Amino acid sequence: MDTFKNLTILQIREKLLKKEISSSEITSYYLSQIEEKNKEINAYITVCAQLALEKAKYFDNNFEKEKDKRLGGVPIAVKDAFSTKGVLTTAASHILDGYIPVYESTVTQKLLNEGAIILGKTNLDQFCHGSSTITSYYGPTRNPHDLQRLPGGSSGGSAAATAADMCAGSIGTETAGSIRQPSSWCGTVGLKPTYGRVSRYGVLAMGSSLDCPGPITKDVNDSAYLLSIIAGYDEHDFSSFNLAVPNYYNDIDISKIRGMKICIPKEYLDMDIQEEVMNNFLNCVSILKKLGADIQYVNVLNPKYAMSVYTITCRSEVSSNLARYDGTRYGLEGSDKSTVKAYYESTRGDGFGQEAKRRIMTGTFSLSAGYADEYFKKSEQVREIIKEDLDNILKKYDCIISPTTPTTALMDKDADNPLFGEMSDILAEGSSEAGLPGISIPSGFAGNLPTGIQFIGKQFDEQTIINSAKALEQALS
């Protein structure tokens, strides 16, 4: 089994092409890892064991036909917020019990088209509402580095599965930190693309003007490789941009770190940042300088404004998006009347969890007559100011860096605060609201817990942050 331990996607790809391993072998390895670890970590809601093994066997038996597909024979995981045809899709909510989509999301279809083997659907905060992955109807996910701690969220299952070597890599979604924050807490690489770079079609929506699918992987190379596959225009998503997709992995050039102009927002460092997180960040800054980067400190709008905007804007969009589920009977085709009645009565009372109800109520209030101008409209105006502020900074600098999160992984009790998610994501929220790309990579450890550093770039300039993150990753290794 050591042959397969902690392999990256590209390492698996190379071994498959050289026939050093078979797809059936590596798929069986991950399924055994899931069987061994998922009881404690709870990273998966649904495991597609039989389907995965069948696809792996098909790849092995049709090697010459399938080998040129970019993910041919490679086992990965997908957050359970993506519609997957014929596979249970729940968004970690009781209200979607038994829902089997009849169509495939654009992202998962692209993965399948390139020969990926989907091991299963990973856990998340219910409908992506949270930064802890404890609001899931299917139980909390635990942090692989310390089972008493949170993995982050909402893509906590994807990050935990990747960190625990229960998949080669995974796909998550981010609304404001939901890829980068769990990646920081679990010690993985999380890449949040520019809004509109990756299609949202088939993603169970949280905040429609914010949601971004993206990869969570074991290194920067894999994130760049996956982004090249899932990015691109989609006629089914009116918010996707019709721009050419670079080959992010092949175009990586770490030499470009020399002379790169990078800035650090002073206001980000004024947050209550844990000492070990700050020390690891400053060590990374020192390394980047030695690599030739020109690093300066700048002033930005206080991140607390971004937190306020997110609290109002996201909750308003949540209330609109979740209205479609209220009283809808998913997964009950062909059921008798008594079954439908019992299900309807239970989901009306228990379908949405506490956090979902809280966000629906707050968002509905923000959009209600007499309050929309005071809250939602003002929130959007401040959001535009945040975007202009960051855009102006990025006219002078190639990218922005900061700690990904103010702390290492926290405990369950910390998530009792209604604004826990906003506070955990405070260093990522502004860039998400501005639609900017960001990547988090491990910056070191505080005891046994990982810390993260993030690179934020210009719209549709994922390559620059990938180059700089790869340069640092290589220097840290």
Side-chain angles (χ1 to χ4, degrees), residues 134-207:
I134 64 171
T135 67
S136 169
Y137 173 70
Y138 298 92
T141 296
R142 310 314 310 175
N143 192 310
H145 295 275
D146 182 345
L147 296 177
Q148 300 304 310
R149 292 184 181 266
L150 303 168
S154 63
S155 303
S158 294
T162 303
D165 203 26
M166 298 162 73
C167 60
S170 58
I171 302 294
T173 63
E174 175 165 321
T175 308
S178 288
I179 286 175
R180 286 173 283 174
Q181 184 251 17
S183 292
S184 176
W185 282 9
C186 289
T188 58
V189 173
L191 175 53
K192 180 259 178 202
T194 304
Y195 178 79
R197 173 62 91 181
V198 179
S199 172
R200 295 183 299 112
Y201 178 73
V203 178
L204 281 67
M206 179 185 174

